[in-house]
Amino acid sequence: MYLTTHAAAGVVISQHVDKPLPVLLYAFLSHFLLDFIPHGDDHVEDWAREKKRRIALVTGLDAGLLIIMIVTLYSSDHLELNRDLASAGIIGAILPDVLTFVYPAIHEKLNRFFLVRRIKKRLRVARNSPILGFLNRRQDHLHFF
């Protein structure tokens, strides 16, 4: 999922929690919840790996949109926004992806820690159950749509 989506979720969280540390923590956890939801951008990763400049293009567009979002949020006087809390939300929400660049395996390990991958794996194993199998096939269909 793109940084802009995670950052927007962090800003939303910051509007409902009134202390920076819980905002940071909830935004951090929201990253994994959002990654659990099927969002259909898996093909972008395969497409980008075909040529190195595509990776730069996708990353640059995402970073550029994130910068535009942050500048818009902080320069608008019409928004009732606590900038400290919004900053904590943005940082917490994009931190797992930022850490991935420093230590690539951390995102996968954190996903395992937060049971995201385990739940998905169990649902795939549970295809013998008609209801769970149906739900899992729908999730896969939506994820790769």
Side-chain angles (χ1 to χ4, degrees):
M1 188 172 287
Y2 299 109
L3 293 177
T4 49
T5 307
H6 289 297
V11 171
V12 170
I13 290 167
S14 76
Q15 299 304 295
H16 299 283
V17 180
D18 59 352
K19 296 190 183 201
L21 191 57
V23 168
L24 186 76
L25 178 65
Y26 293 149
F28 185 83
L29 294 173
S30 78
H31 182 100
F32 299 98
L33 290 174
L34 287 173
D35 277 351
F36 184 67
I37 297 169
H39 45 276
D41 64 352
D42 292 340
H43 68 283
V44 174
E45 185 178 339
D46 296 334
W47 174 80
R49 285 190 178 157
E50 290 175 12
K51 293 185 179 177
K52 296 290 183 192
R53 65 185 166 158
R54 288 181 180 173
I55 294 172
L57 173 69
V58 171
T59 304
L61 284 172
D62 189 29
L65 289 172
L66 179 61
I67 290 168
I68 290 169
M69 183 182 88
I70 291 170
V71 167
T72 303
L73 284 173
Y74 286 85
S75 65
S76 177
D77 293 332
H78 301 293
L79 295 175
E80 293 182 22
L81 178 72
N82 183 325
R83 287 172 174 80
D84 294 336
L85 293 176
S87 297
I90 291 169
I91 290 168
I94 66 173
L95 189 60
D97 282 338
V98 172
L99 291 175
T100 300
F101 291 114
V102 177
Y103 180 54
I106 198 165
H107 200 276
E108 186 66 29
K109 287 181 181 181
L110 286 172
N111 268 337
R112 272 192 228 122
F113 178 74
F114 290 113
L115 302 176
V116 172
R117 300 289 183 220
R118 289 182 188 170
I119 291 169
K120 282 186 174 182
K121 186 176 181 181
R122 294 239 188 255
L123 285 175
R124 285 191 181 93
V125 169
R127 286 183 189 243
N128 295 337
S129 164
I131 294 171
L132 289 177
F134 172 78
L135 292 173
N136 191 42
R137 285 189 299 278
R138 293 293 64 88
Q139 190 270 345
D140 282 348
H141 174 73
L142 289 172
H143 190 79
F144 296 111
F145 179 69

